[in-house]
Amino acid sequence: MITTDFVQGSPCWIDLGAPDVAAAADFYGSVFGWEYQPMEADEPDFGFLALDGKRIGGLGRLTEEGARSAWMIYFLTDDVDATTEAVRRSSGTVRVAPMDADGEGRMAQYTDPQGGQFAVWQPSTFKGMDTVDAVGALCWTELMTTDAPAAKEFYGSLFGWRTQDMDLPGGGGTYTLITPAGQPEERMHGGLMQLPAEQLSLTGGRAYWHPVFGSEDCDETVAKVTSKGGTVQMGPEDAEGVGRLAVCVDPAGADFVVLTPVEMS
């Protein structure tokens, strides 16, 4: 489970880059009940997404030319500069060099060797998400990659993640579970899975991370997704021992997963 007791290598923040912030806020507000809170009254294109007053992530205008709308997952680091050097040594790419964020912390963004984009956050006054592992909040993170062994080695060298492989039912392949370094199994926060490049159509064959959001009723949430112009890549379907889930894409092309875990159903 993901908690707000953030530790080295655990997910601590997410944000969405969208071409139309108002449209994205309307979509996710309708699907998950999130409220958009602009950072400044005169700057409506950057702000926070909140659920019952608690921040669950950020939303900002997509400014990178040629980039697709996507969710970015931030993992906690206690030294963003050291992590950046480790990314370079491991053949990753630094997309955004370490920078200060208004005194609240320091951040950087990277691309792994298979093309998966992710970020890190070194907190100062701002620790991260206010609520997680709940209905309408982040409850899991997932990496789709073309090379699972390489991904395990890359992220293991950065964060010390402990991984555990499991066979999916019905010969569906191998899924790797991720736990932060030194943490018990119940702190497992995500997974990764190897897929052929042709199945990674959203990114043209490159690896990608996406968030998983909790839902009381996966089918009902998916109905809201499609009614607001989103699409469904997979599901809803039952995953044994996990819950009912669907892979969705918002109207601007950003993918995410809706999950009703067994304990929420």
Side-chain angles (χ1 to χ4, degrees):
M1 64 184 291
I2 297 175
T3 78
T4 54
D5 176 23
F6 306 121
V7 297
Q8 174 79 5
S10 69
C12 60
W13 186 248
I14 54 173
D15 63 29
L16 173 66
D20 185 328
V21 168
D26 177 66
F27 173 82
Y28 287 100
S30 298
V31 172
F32 293 113
W34 298 343
E35 176 193 0
Y36 177 60
Q37 303 172 337
M39 290 180 67
E40 304 288 345
D42 59 349
E43 183 53 85
D45 281 348
F46 296 93
F48 298 102
L49 295 164
L51 181 66
D52 298 327
K54 297 179 179 179
R55 291 176 179 174
I56 59 90
L59 172 59
R61 184 167 48 84
L62 186 65
T63 57
E64 186 177 347
E65 191 170 344
R68 77 178 185 100
S69 183
W71 285 95
M72 182 70 71
I73 298 172
Y74 291 71
F75 300 100
L76 187 90
T77 180
D78 53 15
D79 189 334
V80 68
D81 297 287
T83 301
T84 299
E85 289 308 308
V87 167
R88 291 192 175 107
R89 286 196 305 270
S90 300
S91 301
T93 303
V94 179
R95 297 181 60 251
V96 177
M99 59 182 288
D100 293 323
D102 297 326
E104 296 183 331
R106 302 190 72 218
M107 58 82 68
Q109 294 185 1
Y110 314 114
T111 304
D112 72 27
Q114 284 70 50
Q117 296 182 355
F118 67 105
V120 293
W121 177 252
Q122 180 182 335
S124 177
T125 59
F126 182 75
K127 303 303 181 185
M129 296 173 286
D130 292 330
T131 184
V132 294
D133 202 42
V135 171
L138 184 72
C139 64
W140 194 250
T141 61
E142 207 163 51
L143 172 66
M144 302 290 106
T145 182
T146 52
D147 191 335
K152 286 189 279 186
E153 182 177 352
F154 175 80
Y155 289 100
S157 71
L158 289 188
F159 301 122
W161 287 346
R162 190 170 76 254
T163 58
Q164 176 185 343
D165 291 344
M166 60 176 282
D167 293 327
L168 295 175
T174 301
Y175 192 84
T176 301
L177 301 166
I178 301 167
T179 305
Q183 297 299 306
E185 221 171 73
E186 54 264 29
R187 287 297 302 271
M188 209 174 271
H189 67 249
L192 66 87
M193 186 172 179
Q194 181 170 309
L195 292 172
E198 56 267 24
Q199 291 188 26
L200 304 179
S201 57
L202 284 173
T203 55
R206 297 185 302 276
Y208 61 88
W209 284 94
H210 58 200
V212 180
F213 300 118
S215 167
E216 279 185 320
D217 187 325
C218 178
D219 294 72
E220 184 178 307
T221 301
V222 167
K224 293 176 181 176
V225 167
T226 56
S227 73
K228 293 296 292 184
T231 56
V232 180
Q233 277 199 314
M234 184 193 80
E237 62 183 43
D238 295 318
E240 185 179 348
V242 176
R244 190 161 176 80
L245 58 85
V247 181
C248 302
V249 181
D250 73 19
D255 56 299
F256 60 96
V257 178
V258 174
L259 170 67
T260 300
V262 172
E263 62 268 23
M264 281 188 193
S265 56

